[in-house]
Amino acid sequence: MTMAQETSSTWRIWRRQCWGRHPSLNNKPVEPAPPLRRLDSKPPEAAKAEKEEEDTLLSHLPEHEAAILKRQLDIPPVKLTYKSLYRYATRNDLLLMVLSSICAIVGGAVMPLMTIVFGTLAGTFQGFFQKTVTGAEFTQKIDHLTLYFVYLAIAEFVTIYVATVGFIYTGEHISAKIRENYLASILRQNIGYFDKLGAGEITTRITADTNLVQDGISEKVGLTLTAIATFVTAYVIGYIKYWKLTLILTSTIVAIIGTMGVLGRMMDKWNKASLAAYAEGGTVVEEVISSVRNATAFGTQDKLAKQYDVHLIEANKSGFKMKTTLGSMIGFLMCFIYLTYALAFWQGSRYLVAGDMTLNDILTILLSIMIGAFALGNVAPNIQAFATAIAAANKIYATIDRVSPLDPESDEGKKIENVEGTIELRNVKHIYPSRPEVVVMENVSLLVPAGKTTALVGASGSGKSTIVGLVERFYDPVGGEVLFDGHSIQDLNLRWLRQNISLVSQEPTLFATTIFGNIRHGLIGTAYEQQSTDEVRELVENAARESNAHDFITQLPEGYNTNVGERGFLLSGGQKQRIAIARAIVSDPKVLLLDEATSALDTKSEGVVQAALDKASQGRTTIVIAHRLSTIKHADNIVVMSLGRIVEQGTHDELLERKAAYYNLVTAQAIAAQTQAKDEAEEPILDEKDANLAVRTPATEKAEFDYEPDPNDLELRRTKTQQSVSSKILAGKSNQDIPKYSLWTLMRLVASFNRQEWHWMLIGLFSSIINGAGNPVQAVFFAKSITALSLPPSEYGTLRSQTNFWSWMYFMLALVQLVFYLLQGVAFAYCSERLVHRTRDMSFRVMLRQDIQFFDREENTAGALTSFLSTETTHLAGMSGVTLGTILQVMTTLAVCCIISLAVGWKLALVCIATVPVVLGCGFFRFWMLARFQQRAKKAYEKSASYACEATSAIRTVASLTREVDVWEHYHAQLVDQQVSSLQSILQSSLLYAGSQSFMFLCIALGFWYGGTLIGRGEYNLFQFFQTLSIFASNRTSGINPTIHIAVEHPYPPATQAPNPDAAHLQHHPRRPSRLPASCIWNFYHVPAAYHRYHAARERLRDPIPGGEQDGRARQRCDDDTRCIYLPPILVSMNEPQALPMDGVHSRLSHAAAELKQLFDRKPDIDSWSTDGEVLQGMEGSIEFRDVHFRYPTRPEQPVLRGLNLTVKPGQYVALVGASGCGKSTTIALMERFYDPLVGGIYVDGREISSLNINNYRNHLALVSQEPTLYQGSIRDNILLGADKAPEDVPEEAIVQACKDANIYDFILSLPEAFNTVVGSKGSMLSGGQKQRVAIARALLRDPKILLLDEATSALDSESEKVVQAALDAAAKGRTTIAVAHRLSTIQKADMIYVFDQGRIVENGTHNELIARGGRYFELVNLQSLGKNR
């Protein structure tokens, strides 16, 4: 058995194993699949509506045609449970998960067991001071009990290590199986299935969604089991010790859940309102920035900024209420903690005096209850991860379980032994499944004889490429049949059929491997595939010679072993096309399909490739789709198609004699060829005057190789080196350096936004100091309470009195903390909301101040700037009083801790302080390791994901080459290699993580051992020991975990990778700790965090925010902080872990502030805020362009206008015509002064426009562009944006007259709400013609002296165009008008027509004059009339 046969056998065995469990996959369904239901993030109502819409689209078709289309699109719904995620788990995986689960449970039980040792040690100390334990016994017991901490550390290390390794390994293994099955299923799907997929959807599924599934079945399972085990063990210990006190203290959980339930709902309500307001504001921003030219032209920046501010004010109100509620929740939860201590000591002292329990029992129960409560809170975020994994798996499994109606891996169907290559279409009717409303081909019959060349020609959309798709059986026709050698292709084996047909498409797709590998792909599935390497190489080289590729390949340094890069980007278009031709003919196919194989090439490259095609088509059946008719003159049969039908066919000479459709096509291309010849003759003359800049661009860099270029690879290169005037001007401009700002400068910027709230800031900062001192104070109360409870029976009266007193102190502390956490939360919430409001408002206004070249830059797209407003301005809130409050709270806690502990017992204090680096290391490793687990899981699959995405994005090429098995095998091999390499990483990182967990127990052991030693020597009394120890344990022993900084209103960073368009679920973000949207600092455990994090994220997904406001996915955290609760000697770090994530926070905040500072400091060259320049009281409307040279700032190497001279008289209607890219729209942009020319000047009424006041000048102009821009609001609001005065100052008569002039008034009155009718986002409620007429009315409202029309009717259908054109003709009367014409019929009556070519005026005159002249304009008119004939 050969390697290829063995591989194929392995593939088929794997398929039976993986898909054999699903009986539906083994039988081809006779009936159409169930109705289409897309399994995405849409709510049920939306999915139902989508299904109804699809049924409506198919309702006009006969039942059998609708069934054929549905079968090609249907995705059966899949209902999954959590158990379904383990569908592909092997027996070894299950055994390892069982072992890991046991270890995770044991590891979770270790923490509560620590409380027993802690309580026993406290009892031993009590016995020593009550003289019931001798010094020797005391020392022995201390040593013995300290060893228990060591044992617990060892147990924790082993169990956590095994659990972590086990769950991460099995998670990776199972998710890899899911990836393999998903890719295999994707490769088996029909092409119609891909037509309905959104851009990047497959990429999202195979990367982000599988990561989410892995997240839900790997380490989070262990963390959840650990937390549950901790909770159960803690309560079991408590009830065993003394059930009454345990039951009483359980009220803590009830209070927490009740408070969170009530306040959480309020937070959800206000958070949803805030997000909704920001969503509407984000829509305004996206609308305005995406149409910034319109806003600039009409000077509506201030009006639109006020619209945005309305939404900001509403969001500010709701956000403040939400954050105030959150501050209340935090305050109440802190209060509950201290009340729990008060209740435990007060009630425990009563039971102790009654003889029902001991000090040992009280401390054990108290700590167990607190640990249990915190462990329960740690389950919530992980449960959400499990739900997210199920949601993600739903979409993946729906694809895996889908039965493809055109399965290339199916063995069904006949295989013809002796292939001739005759193809016939009989009465074929075709409708694309993704466009059921359009009949692409109707009753087409065509015979393609074997061994002959048949050419298909016709206009775009006539059905030429559809024939190729049907022959390849990418689709099934809804009527008729396609025959191959007399057999219906539906009866033939699909894989065999495609192996006998080779396709060369317009855009050749090469894969990221060597040239040899790419050509060898053409041998897959053929008899040649089994030949020896030398024989295969000979076939490859022969194919390359036939395709005129061998010569340039051999000149490469590595020859056929040269890697072509992803999608072949290292090669030129002609080189890629010739390799694709070699790949197509290497297997000597009987049928060759050429789908516009040379249309994307320049004239000289086309000649080389065409010669290769002519050679390749000899002796085989060839179907050619022609782009240039000159390439198919020698075809045996030429088929002319129009609107999905064959209108005529015959040889080249026969069709020319008929002088019908083909004759018109040839004549039109002859005129275009003459024009092109003139262009090539004139180009050197233009180049001498305006040569290209010597600028290195990505395109030129890409074309530079280390080898000599193939002589056949002819390229058009500039040979002149003389610089143009504009080149010299551009060369004189220096690059702008990105400024660097000091931290003090950035802090001053942030402070300036909160200057008015300084008194609120002081309240918040003072509250932070009080809250920071709360933990050390409670440590004093804790030590005093233990000391009181340690009194002997003879002093029980004093015991009760002192315990009652300290319990009241705890009660007092609870109230103080409640009040000051409330004050802190409210004060910082108010400051934060005001800061974000002002920052967003000012940032938006500064953006609108910028000139148009700012928005032309790639980094300043509408989405990027909208995202900037959402994220960077929000991040800035973290540099307000919140950050300073955090610092003050942490420093207060640390300072008070150190001062008190050193004052009371400096020896033990120094030892405890010495453990701080260890604890910091533990905290850091815990945080860093969990982050690294996630990061490594994502990065590990980047390479394989890139490979899979490359293959699926070129699915037509993969299908035509029958590469499905080959792609899967390469992908499978990559996953296996990645799993092997990642296993070592898992073992190492898990070792560090488990070590970080166990080290804490060792630190506890050190504290108790050394403290016990000091007590044994008589150096410390009980109060000194517990005072010093509990000072450092104060935050942990009180359940406080201040590792989280809460400072931002929208805690989600901007998307940095291909986003998931439907944002179906929450995604773990490994590098960032979870932060709730509140302006406060809070040190608390995960219960409220998880609760609010879940609901806030859920609301974000329920109400997606348009534009950049939506990040795509909410983030959640998987940090296991319960392991660090109550670890006494180490916990001077109870505040220091707060600094762990602060480094990233500081970096992000500094970056946000620097970005804003740079934006605020940027002063545009054309400043709409400027008051400089002459103010015109009136304008006649004469216009003159004098020797204007211009290049776009973002494309300085490309000249646009090269010495433009143009004159327009007042009141004249002037039309600008010419080919695309000749400078027409640029002329309009320069008139609006969106840019300044590099050389020359533009004069209006004899004044250079750069000397005029910019806003006053634009008030005399009005622009109507190709895409009409309407904003959210009513029709009246949109029309009023055109006024050059306040809306209230515009008389109603003026609005009515503008609408009448624009031919829209009657339509508006026909609407139920007339002028108050809401137009929707970007005017979506109106048709194109209606929007354009509203835009015209807006332009006329200001009664402009100059009207600029930039292809104002080109995007409209013919009916709408007539109405709009009539409105434009009326609007042009009595004012100077410059119109850029798309359809020449619309400007026949113009007073003057200027014909542009390569940035110059080549001729001008009236319509009749230019027609009589027979020049460029005459050619343009002829081409358009030919288009109409077709």
Side-chain angles (χ1 to χ4, degrees), residues 291-305:
S291 59
V292 69
R293 283 169 171 77
N294 186 82
T296 303
F298 284 93
T300 57
Q301 295 97 327
D302 186 62
K303 297 176 184 177
L304 296 170

Side-chain angles (χ1 to χ4, degrees), residues 941-1073:
Y941 293 97
E942 283 182 357
K943 181 180 177 182
S944 60
S946 175
Y947 177 81
C949 295
E950 180 192 35
T952 54
S953 64
I955 188 63
R956 289 172 183 263
T957 303
V958 171
S960 66
L961 293 172
T962 62
R963 275 202 67 207
E964 293 87 356
V965 175
D966 181 60
V967 168
W968 182 88
E969 287 168 350
H970 279 85
Y971 184 68
H972 171 73
Q974 288 184 15
L975 290 183
V976 170
D977 292 342
Q978 288 164 7
Q979 289 179 62
V980 171
S981 62
S982 66
L983 179 59
Q984 185 176 3
S985 174
I986 294 172
L987 295 173
Q988 293 174 349
S989 58
S990 298
L991 194 71
L992 293 172
Y993 176 70
S996 71
Q997 301 298 83
S998 60
F999 283 156
M1000 299 180 180
F1001 290 92
L1002 301 178
C1003 294
I1004 295 174
L1006 175 62
F1008 268 105
W1009 174 80
Y1010 185 66
T1013 301
L1014 293 175
I1015 289 176
R1017 294 178 188 168
E1019 297 184 30
Y1020 276 30
N1021 56 33
L1022 192 61
F1023 170 74
Q1024 285 178 299
F1025 173 77
F1026 277 106
Q1027 173 71 73
T1028 305
L1029 196 63
S1030 60
I1031 279 288
F1032 289 92
S1034 57
N1035 277 10
R1036 301 293 180 174
T1037 54
S1038 61
I1040 300 168
N1041 182 16
T1043 62
I1044 303 176
H1045 176 199
I1046 307 149
V1048 290
E1049 133 209 358
H1050 289 301
Y1052 312 115
T1056 55
Q1057 57 184 346
N1060 184 0
D1062 33 55
H1065 20 43
L1066 310 178
Q1067 181 182 10
H1068 174 80
H1069 192 277
R1071 285 194 171 277
R1072 196 158 294 166

Side-chain angles (χ1 to χ4, degrees), residues 88-123:
Y88 301 107
T90 63
R91 178 181 298 177
N92 290 338
D93 291 334
L94 296 175
L95 290 175
L96 186 54
M97 283 190 290
V98 169
L99 176 62
S100 300
S101 299
I102 294 172
C103 288
I105 292 171
V106 173
V110 167
M111 183 64 68
L113 291 175
M114 181 272 297
T115 64
I116 299 177
V117 182
F118 187 96
T120 305
L121 281 167

